């Protein structure tokens, strides 16, 4: 319990924490609203059956807000190594796994505290925009839309934990951040230029970003390179691997 | 401190951090390795149905041809009485061609609904004047020289242009032709992209057709189309109907150089994507680490004007990045071109690229400039934010996220996105002209537009960073 309190105090007193949380919410909501506003019913061949994935569009802010979640995760260890605070931390709590668990819990709480209201607000705001633009909408709460919205929250939590694991391994804020952003964003960009369809599909199925973001789909699931839950499972596997590697490195090396 | 001393100080800082030198080396290695990866996973379906011009270039040569042989010198006159407006670049006119086969040497003069009387020879424009149907057209053939004219009344002739057709044999085919290019359909909705072409069928009526010279007795009629053309249910084949000396001809397709939009130079340079993921953070920490360690106060004590410090950093890191980026781009170019050829990107559709071509050289240098400007953008963002993590996250997301978001939003939105985010800089690595045919959104803007966008970002970030450095406490 004391470990949790210590980690919570550290996170709470960082100047950047409130800004990151506000940024996460703001990006989720504004990008979702912009994506919704960019679509007008006159662009559809048949307004009654537009075929758009409204839930996914409403939640498009995830493209950017995940970068904020990554920063939150990376800073948990990066800041301590940057200021050498880590030596104090492990002197006070020699059980290092407990430190890691405490940090993971705090990161999880922070990200969820911003992601849940952000996702709900983005979804609600985008729906009013769609309605104003003349789209007939499916029901607000369906099994698929709950999966998309809840999955988006889970996605943000998972990438933050992934970043936490990598930062325990790399022990440097900018290095860890670059590594995680590269892992997330480089593969979909590469998939644009790679023209071989089998390679394209491989990239999309195993990249944490494209696989994980499959959870946002509510229509046309057959066209996805990977199913929603299996996709999120791929991201979870990356996160688990990063956390294990980070834990091993944290336990084995001098602080 | 003079600027020269500042440069030396910044160079010393850079070279004494071994992890930064490692990052520079890694950026070069990653750039080459990722380029090889992108090239090895390439494939092309542009093989079937390509016609090849006399000088070996891939061409479109699809039209309906009503023709008869002509031995030796002679002249062909026809009046285009009517032309349907099916496409601004649809053509109705007369032609001399080395046989009715696709890719054969030819010269033509035709009217377009867009208002041109256009002469072409061997798949290139020779010259054009304004004018529309109804219009008289004339084509004189003398040896290998072809001269074309037009006229409003059939008696006073205006020369359009002349061309030499090397190797034109004595007996050629002369006659009328009609063609109309397909309409490009690009559908990018949120979530999917589809690019297609809807064929259009041109129609024109010719009258007062006269051939002077040793011409054959009867007109033959041929549809020159790419193989597999008829399999497309929307495709339309051409036809000829003759009544009382008037020929009503329909035809579909286009004539001209037809390079596929896929750019082998760009694919072979795409590893800069991996390089930038190392260089942007390097640019950021080159300034933010000084703030974190308090070194910045010593730096400013030595150079109280402050802004020149940032300028010196930009020169040192920018120069180094450019040199390393250029070396990596050159290696990537030479390594990937043979790989791409093995994966089907081969002549004639994809001619071998040579560094002596200005556009290829521009793309290779463009890759180095792309990396340099992004590094400088990182440096500027670091100077503005003074914290590494948000600066790195901001520059990398702004550069990469628009590329895949742009690939799934409508064309206009994607183009705007490329013109307002650093992602447009990817366009600098293209050797071919801008196109809407590709999924990668930066191919919609030209290389210079990409340079302008990214250059503006880097310049604004550096200027803002320098200004804030002077205003704020260190």
């Amino acid at each position: 319990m004391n470990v949790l309190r210590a980690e919570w105090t550290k996170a709470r007193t960082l100047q950047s924490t409130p800004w990151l949380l506000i940024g996460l919410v703001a990006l989720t909501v504004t990008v979702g609203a912009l994506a919704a506003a960019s679509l007008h019913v006159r662009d559809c061949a048949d307004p009654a059956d537009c075929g758009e994935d409204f839930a996914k569009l409403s939640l498009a802010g995830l493209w950017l807000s995940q970068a904020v979640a990554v920063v939150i995760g990376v800073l948990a260890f990066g800041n301590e190594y940057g200021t050498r605070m880590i030596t104090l931390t492990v002197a006070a709590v020699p059980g290092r796994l407990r430190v890691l668990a405490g940090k993971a819990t705090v990161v999880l709480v922070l990200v969820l505290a911003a992601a849940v209201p952000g996702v709900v607000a983005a979804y609600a705001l985008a729906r009013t925009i769609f309605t104003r633009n003349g789209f007939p909408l499916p029901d607000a709460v369906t099994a698929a839309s709950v999966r998309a919205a809840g999955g988006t929250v889970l996605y943000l939590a998972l990438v933050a934990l992934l970043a936490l694991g990598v930062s325990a391994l790399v022990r440097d804020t900018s290095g860890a951040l670059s590594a995680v952003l590269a892992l997330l964003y480089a593969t979909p960009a590469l998939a644009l230029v790679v023209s071989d369809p089998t390679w394209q599909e491989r990239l999309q199925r195993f990249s944490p970003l494209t696989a994980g973001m499959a959870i946002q789909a509510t229509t046309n699931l057959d066209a996805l390179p990977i199913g929603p839950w299996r996709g999120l499972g791929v991201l979870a596997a990356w996160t688990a691997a990063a956390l294990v590697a980070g834990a091993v490195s944290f336990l084995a090396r001098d602080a | 401190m003079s600027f020269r001393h500042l440069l030396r100080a910044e160079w010393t800082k850079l070279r004494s951090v071994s992890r930064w030198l490692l990052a520079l080396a890694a950026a070069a290695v990653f750039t080459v390795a990722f380029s090889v990866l992108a090239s090895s996973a390439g494939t092309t379906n542009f093989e079937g149905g390509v016609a090849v011009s006399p000088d070996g270039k891939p061409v479109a040569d699809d039209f309906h041809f009503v023709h008869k042989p002509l031995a030796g010198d002679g002249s062909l006159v026809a009046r285009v009485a009517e032309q349907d407006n099916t496409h601004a670049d649809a053509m109705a006119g007369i032609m001399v061609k080395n046989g009715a086969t696709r890719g054969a040497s030819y010269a033509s003069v035709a009217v377009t609904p867009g208002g041109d009387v256009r002469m072409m020879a061997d798949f290139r424009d020779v010259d054009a004047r304004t004018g529309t149907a109804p219009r008289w057209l004339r084509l004189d053939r003398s040896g290998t020289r072809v001269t074309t004219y037009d006229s409003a009344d059939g008696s006073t002739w205006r020369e359009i242009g002349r061309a030499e057709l090397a190797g034109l044999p004595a007996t050629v085919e002369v006659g009328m032709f009609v063609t109309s290019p397909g309409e490009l359909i690009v559908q990018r909705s949120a979530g999917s992209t589809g690019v297609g072409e809807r064929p259009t069928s041109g129609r024109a009526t010719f009258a007062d057709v006269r051939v002077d010279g040793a011409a054959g007795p009867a007109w033959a009629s041929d549809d020159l189309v790419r193989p597999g053309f008829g399999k497309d249910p929307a495709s339309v084949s051409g036809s000829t109907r003759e009544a009382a000396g008037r020929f009503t001809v329909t035809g579909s397709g286009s004539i001209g150089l037809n390079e596929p939009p896929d750019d082998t130079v760009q694919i072979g340079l795409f590893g800069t994507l991996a390089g930038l993921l190392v260089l942007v953070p390097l640019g950021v920490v080159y300034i933010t680490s000084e703030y974190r360690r308090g070194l910045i106060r010593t730096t400013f004590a030595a150079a109280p004007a402050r802004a020149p410090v940032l300028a010196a950093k930009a020169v040192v890191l920018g120069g180094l990045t450019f040199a390393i980026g250029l070396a990596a781009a050159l290696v990537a170019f030479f390594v990937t071109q043979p790989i791409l050829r093995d994966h089907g990107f081969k002549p004639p559709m994809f001619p071998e690229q040579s560094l002596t071509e200005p556009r290829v050289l521009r793309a290779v240098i463009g890759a180095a400039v792309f990396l340099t400007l992004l590094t400088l953008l990182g440096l500027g963002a670091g100077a503005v934010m003074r914290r590494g993590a948000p600066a790195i996250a901001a520059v990398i997301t702004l550069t990469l996220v628009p590329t895949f978001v742009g690939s799934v939003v409508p064309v206009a939105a994607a183009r705007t996105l490329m013109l307002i985010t650093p992602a447009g800089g990817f366009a600098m690595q293209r050797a071919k002209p801008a196109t809407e045919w590709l999924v990668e959104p930066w191919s919609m803007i030209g290389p210079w537009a990409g340079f302008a966008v990214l250059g503006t970002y880097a310049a604004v970030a550096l200027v803002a960073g320098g200004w804030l450095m002077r205003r704020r406490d260190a």
Side-chain angles (χ1 to χ4, degrees):
Chain A
M1 210 53 222
N2 282 332
V3 180
L4 264 185
R5 217 167 77 203
E7 292 304 330
W8 172 246
T9 309
K10 281 187 239 170
R12 184 169 56 80
T13 50
L14 271 182
Q15 250 181 19
S16 54
T17 306
W19 290 110
L20 288 169
L21 299 183
I22 292 170
L24 202 157
V25 175
L27 282 175
T28 308
V29 176
T30 48
V31 175
L34 284 176
S38 74
L39 200 66
H40 199 273
V41 78
R42 66 171 171 263
D43 300 330
C44 293
D46 177 12
D49 178 26
C50 221
E52 286 295 346
D53 192 335
F54 295 106
K56 185 176 170 181
L57 265 180
S58 321
L59 302 171
L62 181 59
W63 282 106
L64 294 178
S65 59
Q66 60 183 292
V68 182
V70 167
V71 173
I72 294 175
V74 157
L75 285 181
F77 270 104
N79 260 341
E80 291 216 24
Y81 279 102
T83 55
R84 303 307 304 153
M85 166 87 153
I86 192 74
T87 49
L88 258 179
T89 303
V90 293
V93 187
R96 293 192 182 181
L97 270 185
R98 285 169 62 211
V99 175
L100 186 69
K103 283 188 183 300
T105 312
V106 168
V107 163
L108 207 56
V109 168
L110 286 176
V111 170
L112 290 179
V116 172
V119 163
V120 171
Y123 187 67
L125 180 60
R127 277 186 74 88
T128 63
I129 294 173
F130 284 133
T131 314
R132 213 193 52 207
N133 284 355
F135 288 102
L137 288 181
D139 286 342
V141 180
T142 62
S145 74
V146 168
R147 183 184 63 215
T152 303
V153 173
L154 285 178
Y155 182 105
L156 286 165
L158 285 172
V159 288
L161 292 179
L162 169 72
L164 175 82
V166 173
S167 76
L169 188 69
V170 179
R171 310 209 280 188
D172 167 65
T173 307
S174 40
L177 180 59
S178 319
V180 178
L181 291 180
L183 176 67
L184 291 175
Y185 288 136
T187 23
L190 190 64
L192 287 180
V193 165
V194 163
S195 41
D196 189 325
T198 49
W199 268 99
Q200 245 175 14
E201 191 170 316
R202 258 178 232 163
L203 281 173
Q204 286 174 342
R205 289 171 69 100
F206 295 110
S207 125
L209 184 143
T210 38
M213 283 182 76
I215 195 74
Q216 292 191 322
T218 59
T219 62
N220 219 354
L221 296 187
D222 296 339
L224 290 175
I226 190 166
W229 286 115
R230 286 184 64 191
L232 201 67
V234 170
L235 173 61
W238 280 96
T239 302
L243 281 175
V244 169
V248 168
S249 151
F250 189 45
L251 287 175
R253 288 196 293 186
D254 280 344
Chain B
M1 249 196 330
S2 73
F3 193 65
R4 199 165 55 84
H5 286 110
L6 274 180
L7 285 180
R8 202 155 123 215
E10 292 307 329
W11 164 238
T12 309
K13 285 182 208 165
L14 183 69
R15 98 186 133 78
S16 52
V17 182
S18 57
R19 149 193 303 216
W20 291 352
L21 295 182
L22 206 64
L24 280 169
V29 173
F30 286 1
T31 299
V32 175
F34 253 67
S35 297
V36 169
L37 186 68
S39 310
S40 308
T43 177
T44 175
N45 50 10
F46 264 110
E47 291 200 66
V50 52
V52 182
S53 72
D55 56 347
K57 292 277 197 297
V59 294
D61 201 7
D62 307 322
F63 58 99
H64 195 75
F65 195 24
V66 185
H67 57 100
K68 58 167 65 171
L70 170 73
D73 294 348
S75 165
L76 167 66
V77 174
R79 181 165 63 88
V80 182
E82 288 165 24
Q83 182 185 25
D84 288 1
N85 184 3
T86 51
H87 191 289
D89 290 320
M91 289 195 281
I94 54 178
M95 178 186 282
V96 51
K97 194 168 172 72
N98 182 11
T101 50
R102 298 174 73 229
S105 182
Y106 79 98
S108 68
V109 60
V111 291
T112 70
D116 282 335
V117 182
R118 181 188 300 170
M119 176 174 183
M120 292 182 78
D122 286 350
F123 306 97
R124 287 169 180 84
D125 284 319
V126 175
D127 215 336
R129 303 266 189 277
T130 32
T132 49
R135 195 131 208 111
W136 292 79
L137 300 173
R138 190 178 117 205
L139 185 153
D140 291 352
R141 182 259 168 119
S142 164
T144 57
R145 157 163 297 195
V146 178
T147 314
T148 61
Y149 307 85
D150 77 334
S151 165
D153 52 14
S155 55
T156 46
W157 294 96
R158 166 176 77 162
E159 184 178 315
I160 305 293
R162 53 184 68 196
E164 278 304 322
L165 299 181
L168 195 69
T171 302
V172 293
E173 296 295 322
V174 294
M176 298 146 280
F177 75 101
V178 168
T179 191
S180 181
E183 265 174 56
L184 178 63
I185 311 162
V186 184
Q187 274 180 327
R188 286 174 200 247
S189 61
S192 66
T193 306
V195 181
E197 205 185 33
R198 184 174 56 233
T200 64
S201 179
R203 198 178 72 97
T205 306
F206 297 86
D208 306 303
V209 183
R210 198 180 75 231
V211 182
D212 297 328
W219 292 101
S221 178
D222 279 302
D223 226 11
L224 279 73
V225 291
R226 56 188 175 279
F229 175 77
K231 287 180 197 139
D232 179 356
S235 62
V236 264
S237 44
S239 65
T240 315
R241 203 156 38 80
E242 189 191 348
R246 287 169 77 92
F247 295 81
T248 302
V249 183
T250 66
S252 177
S254 61
I255 307 173
L257 292 178
N258 185 25
E259 281 193 314
D262 301 68
D263 189 333
T264 52
V265 178
Q266 180 208 253
I267 298 173
L269 293 171
F270 198 61
T272 52
L273 168 71
L276 77 87
L277 288 167
V278 180
L279 288 171
V280 167
L282 177 62
V284 170
V285 299
Y286 191 36
I287 177 84
T288 58
S289 67
E290 289 209 26
Y291 280 100
R292 199 164 76 185
R293 309 208 181 276
L295 178 63
I296 196 75
R297 286 191 281 276
T298 315
T299 305
F300 286 165
R306 294 192 180 187
V309 173
L310 191 62
K313 278 185 188 293
V315 170
V316 169
L317 186 60
L320 214 54
T321 314
F322 181 76
I324 285 170
L326 189 61
L330 282 168
V331 173
F333 174 77
F334 285 114
V335 172
T336 54
Q337 291 309 307
I339 298 178
L340 285 163
R341 263 199 302 286
D342 287 347
H343 282 81
F345 293 92
K346 49 177 178 264
M349 276 316 243
F350 297 93
E352 285 199 29
Q353 304 287 349
S354 152
L355 265 189
T356 52
E357 275 180 76
R359 62 182 193 167
V360 177
L361 190 62
R362 184 195 64 211
V364 170
I365 295 174
V369 175
F370 173 63
L371 287 175
T372 308
L373 289 177
L374 273 174
T375 311
L376 294 180
L377 175 57
L379 180 66
V384 169
M385 299 194 200
R386 298 194 287 188
R387 306 256 324 194
I392 293 171
V395 175
I396 289 184
T397 36
L398 270 179
T399 308
L400 295 188
V401 171
T403 61
F404 20 91
V405 171
S407 67
V408 293
V409 296
V411 175
R415 181 180 284 118
T416 311
L417 211 50
M418 290 301 113
L419 289 174
I420 60 170
T421 63
F426 276 106
M428 294 161 72
Q429 306 185 146
R430 274 182 60 83
K432 288 189 176 175
T435 172
E436 285 181 2
W437 278 88
L438 292 176
V439 68
E440 53 261 36
W442 59 85
S443 58
M444 288 193 287
I445 65 171
W448 293 109
F451 174 69
V453 173
L454 185 54
T456 308
Y457 262 92
V460 168
L462 284 175
V463 168
W467 184 70
L468 286 170
M469 267 183 165
R470 294 173 64 118
R471 278 196 77 230
R472 293 189 297 209
D473 281 343

